[in-house]
Amino acid sequence: MRDPKRMPLDPQDATLIGLVSILAEAPWTIGRADLDRARAVGLSDGTLAHAIVLTSFFHYLNRVADAVDLDFDYESPLERLVRATGREPIERPPPARWTCGEGLPALSFADFPRAEAPFEAWRAYLTERNAPLGRRQRNVLRRAAAAALCDAAGVSELADATPRDDLERRLAAYAHTMTVAPWRLTKDALDGLRKGGLDDGGLLDLISVAAFQNTASRIRLGFTAGAR
Amino acid sequence: MIGAREARGELAETYQAMAARSIPDVYRPPHGDAPGIVRAHSLDPALMRVTFALSGALHDDATLSWPRRELINAFTSSVNQCFY
């Protein structure tokens, strides 16, 4: 999979990979035309909703793996990935050009119902607790990640969660880097937050909350694509 | 990170429940412990449970076949420049 975009794929797989690519790199651009193309090659709304939730959840796993500097579990005949750490993320448009996807969403968890309750349990656990991180710190992390994904509705929900002090600014900066360029996450950033008073449990909390928002915003943007 | 062999109490029970899940053998690492991405959540067993409950719900062949799920996951990792 050295260059996945050159893999020979059937039309449905190629279309799915196109959607996955948009959701990964520029999820704020996904729109009705993308879903129409997918439906035109025979992909059902259930398949599309499943694919959106699946790839969005993998963004969480990737970011956790990067943040904790995970070791390899498996032997592989493939060459080790060499990261282009200098790779720049795609430039974000200004907030005035973000769209909320107003109107009825094109897709919802009703199209892939088996994931709805587990997603809700996961969301509630990561967003509604008061420890190790406080609710406000969670919201600061989530707002920074939502803003980095141009998720207008997500930012609007967390409008008062702009950073107010040095620790909150560092939390927001970490969530921003994790979101736009996870390949640049370093242990130094976590060490700095540890010096700011977070223990290992707090660091896992911050990593998982910021990574969660990478999933939640992508699901929202994917599901509301039909309104853009 | 605390592996399954060193785990006690709630964490040990969580690992046991996860190990009992029906998953393809290729997802079981040769080192015999839980996969690293699972162990990364070991400081918070409740987080481990809710996270991998969602992961399990995504293994649904009715709407996406296993090869197609793997394609999506591998491509996502590729764009993120993540080996996982």
Side-chain angles (χ1 to χ4, degrees), chain B residues 15-59:
Chain B
Y15 274 131
Q16 286 166 10
M18 292 194 59
R21 297 186 310 170
S22 174
I23 62 170
D25 286 343
V26 295
Y27 289 166
R28 299 186 191 280
H31 53 60
D33 205 331
I37 192 66
V38 175
R39 281 182 282 128
H41 294 76
S42 59
L43 294 180
D44 187 343
L47 174 62
M48 186 187 287
R49 288 194 295 273
V50 293
T51 300
F52 293 95
L54 175 57
S55 174
L58 300 177
H59 296 296

Side-chain angles (χ1 to χ4, degrees), chain A residues 4 12-13 16 20 25 47 50 54-55 58-60 62 70 72-74 81 83-84 87 114 122 125 183, chain B residues 26-27 30-31 36 39 41 44 46 51 57-60 63 68 73 75-81 83-84:
Chain A
Q12 288 195 347
D13 285 342
L16 281 172
V20 167
E25 296 189 278
T47 292
H50 188 169
L54 179 68
T55 186
F58 228 73
H59 281 275
Y60 170 88
N62 282 167
L70 209 60
F72 286 90
D73 275 319
Y74 307 96
L81 173 74
R83 284 178 166 166
R87 181 179 130 202
R114 64 182 274 142
W122 188 53
Y125 188 79
W183 52 89
Chain B
V26 295
Y27 289 166
H31 53 60
R39 281 182 282 128
H41 294 76
D44 187 343
T51 300
L58 300 177
H59 296 296
D60 179 14
T63 40
R68 208 168 245 180
N73 293 339
F75 190 84
T76 305
S77 291
S78 169
V79 176
N80 283 331
Q81 298 200 85
F83 76 86
Y84 178 76

Side-chain angles (χ1 to χ4, degrees), chain A residues 7-101:
Chain A
M7 288 173 63
L9 297 172
D10 71 34
Q12 288 195 347
D13 285 342
T15 304
L16 281 172
I17 289 306
L19 277 176
V20 167
S21 179
I22 295 168
L23 277 172
E25 296 189 278
W28 57 90
T29 67
I30 190 169
R32 185 194 309 269
D34 297 301
L35 297 187
D36 287 347
R37 268 193 294 277
R39 289 165 174 149
V41 297
L43 293 168
S44 69
D45 282 3
T47 292
L48 293 175
H50 188 169
I52 287 169
V53 177
L54 179 68
T55 186
S56 298
F57 180 67
F58 228 73
H59 281 275
Y60 170 88
L61 296 178
N62 282 167
R63 282 163 175 79
V64 171
D66 284 338
V68 304
D69 198 18
L70 209 60
D71 289 329
F72 286 90
D73 275 319
Y74 307 96
E75 297 295 327
S76 171
L78 300 175
E79 289 178 28
R80 290 280 175 103
L81 173 74
V82 178
R83 284 178 166 166
T85 52
R87 181 179 130 202
E88 294 294 333
I90 290 177
E91 189 175 342
R92 271 57 178 164
R97 288 173 49 201
W98 300 353
T99 54
C100 277

Side-chain angles (χ1 to χ4, degrees), chain A:
Chain A
M1 202 140 179
R2 193 162 293 135
D3 187 353
K5 290 180 179 173
R6 291 174 182 268
M7 288 173 63
L9 297 172
D10 71 34
Q12 288 195 347
D13 285 342
T15 304
L16 281 172
I17 289 306
L19 277 176
V20 167
S21 179
I22 295 168
L23 277 172
E25 296 189 278
W28 57 90
T29 67
I30 190 169
R32 185 194 309 269
D34 297 301
L35 297 187
D36 287 347
R37 268 193 294 277
R39 289 165 174 149
V41 297
L43 293 168
S44 69
D45 282 3
T47 292
L48 293 175
H50 188 169
I52 287 169
V53 177
L54 179 68
T55 186
S56 298
F57 180 67
F58 228 73
H59 281 275
Y60 170 88
L61 296 178
N62 282 167
R63 282 163 175 79
V64 171
D66 284 338
V68 304
D69 198 18
L70 209 60
D71 289 329
F72 286 90
D73 275 319
Y74 307 96
E75 297 295 327
S76 171
L78 300 175
E79 289 178 28
R80 290 280 175 103
L81 173 74
V82 178
R83 284 178 166 166
T85 52
R87 181 179 130 202
E88 294 294 333
I90 290 177
E91 189 175 342
R92 271 57 178 164
R97 288 173 49 201
W98 300 353
T99 54
C100 277
E102 292 171 359
L104 288 175
L107 299 166
S108 73
F109 275 109
D111 295 300
F112 185 53
R114 64 182 274 142
E116 182 167 17
F119 177 82
E120 174 54 23
W122 188 53
R123 183 206 63 75
Y125 188 79
L126 284 169
T127 65
E128 295 179 0
R129 286 180 301 150
N130 293 307
L133 298 182
R135 283 288 286 272
R136 182 174 160 78
Q137 290 172 319
R138 291 172 199 280
N139 288 347
V140 167
L141 288 163
R142 293 176 58 209
R143 186 186 182 285
L149 295 168
C150 309
D151 172 11
V155 171
S156 176
E157 286 171 5
L158 302 162
D160 64 347
T162 51
R164 290 179 184 158
D165 58 30
D166 184 58
L167 177 59
E168 288 186 358
R169 278 188 284 278
R170 281 195 280 171
L171 291 173
Y174 188 86
H176 178 83
T177 299
M178 172 189 270
T179 303
V180 304
W183 52 89
R184 290 185 190 157
L185 289 177
T186 65
K187 290 186 73 176
D188 289 347
L190 287 182
D191 289 342
L193 288 159
R194 195 189 302 275
K195 287 174 186 163
L198 296 183
D199 62 11
D200 284 347
L203 293 179
L204 174 60
D205 210 7
L206 101 84
I207 290 165
S208 51
V209 170
F212 157 81
Q213 193 60 43
N214 270 267
T215 297
S217 285
R218 283 184 170 85
I219 291 174
R220 187 205 316 273
L221 292 164
F223 281 1
T224 58
R228 274 186 292 276

